Amino acid sequence: MKPLLQLAQWIDRLNQAIGRGAAWLILVTVLISTGNAIVRKAFNLSSNSLLEIQWSLFAAVFLLGAAYTLLKNDHVRIDLQSRRGGPRMQAWVDILGTLLFLLPLCGVMLYYAWPFFWDSYQSQEWSSSPGGLILWPAKFLVPACFALLALQGVSEIIKRIGFLLGHTDAPGQDTTEQAL
């Protein structure tokens, strides 16, 4: 079980780093948006690429933050009656929910998102807007999101099983804080 828990720690650290990095993109987005608005109002100039980079950065924050949100146990979910059953019941609900819903969804999304990105990458697809950006980096965010989310799902299953077997405590808390 120890190697699996170490794998879960590695996944947690990866998603913690990516999530924190994605959070900084909010500041970048605000700065670009503010600069674009000032230049547009003051000098009557605008750029489609500045608008598109704002959209892409917002998408990056949302998509790259999904696995981090799962890591921090801050995602939206329906608990039904699992909280009444205590931590062991919650661990079982989390394991089953991840196996039956999260991982299959990630698999389907990866199946469809990878060709979506790959076709764009191979053709070096550009936005149809004048002065627009190349699209494949933004399209890459979709499969990246679901790959990271699937990895975090695996980490959460490992941690819940570790809890049920008595190797860890407090399911639903990430291991990155303990490891640092």
Side-chain angles (χ1 to χ4, degrees):
M1 188 75 210
K2 187 173 181 169
L4 289 175
L5 289 170
Q6 288 173 335
L7 173 64
Q9 271 190 344
W10 180 85
I11 293 169
D12 289 354
R13 284 191 198 120
L14 171 69
N15 281 320
Q16 174 116 359
I18 291 171
R20 287 183 175 173
W24 281 100
L25 294 178
I26 296 169
L27 176 62
V28 174
T29 305
V30 167
L31 293 174
I32 290 171
S33 179
T34 302
N36 189 30
I38 290 170
V39 169
R40 188 174 65 245
K41 295 295 182 188
F43 303 106
N44 201 25
L45 295 172
S46 187
S47 165
N48 284 336
S49 61
L50 288 176
L51 292 173
E52 288 184 13
I53 195 70
Q54 291 172 57
W55 301 334
S56 295
L57 289 171
F58 177 75
V61 169
F62 177 78
L63 292 169
L64 295 176
Y68 180 74
T69 303
L70 180 59
L71 167 68
K72 294 297 183 181
N73 204 26
D74 286 337
H75 55 287
V76 176
R77 65 176 176 198
I78 300 170
D79 284 332
L80 302 174
Q81 297 295 320
S82 61
R83 292 280 183 213
R84 286 187 182 176
R88 293 185 65 77
M89 173 66 96
Q90 184 63 46
W92 278 110
V93 169
D94 290 346
I95 290 169
L96 291 173
T98 301
L99 287 172
L100 296 175
F101 298 106
L102 179 66
L103 293 180
L105 171 71
C106 290
V108 168
M109 291 303 295
L110 281 167
Y111 179 80
Y112 287 106
W114 186 257
F116 172 73
F117 150 71
W118 190 246
D119 290 344
S120 180
Y121 175 76
Q122 286 186 315
S123 68
Q124 294 296 298
E125 179 184 12
W126 282 79
S127 168
S128 60
S129 299
L133 300 176
I134 192 161
L135 294 178
W136 71 261
K139 288 185 175 187
F140 175 72
L141 292 171
V142 178
C145 163
F146 286 99
L148 292 169
L149 196 54
L151 277 175
Q152 192 59 46
V154 169
S155 173
E156 297 304 315
I157 289 172
I158 292 168
K159 291 184 286 187
R160 296 316 187 278
I161 291 172
F163 167 72
L164 291 171
L165 296 175
H167 296 285
T168 63
D169 43 55
Q173 295 181 358
D174 68 90
T175 58
T176 54
E177 303 301 323
Q178 300 158 0
L180 297 176

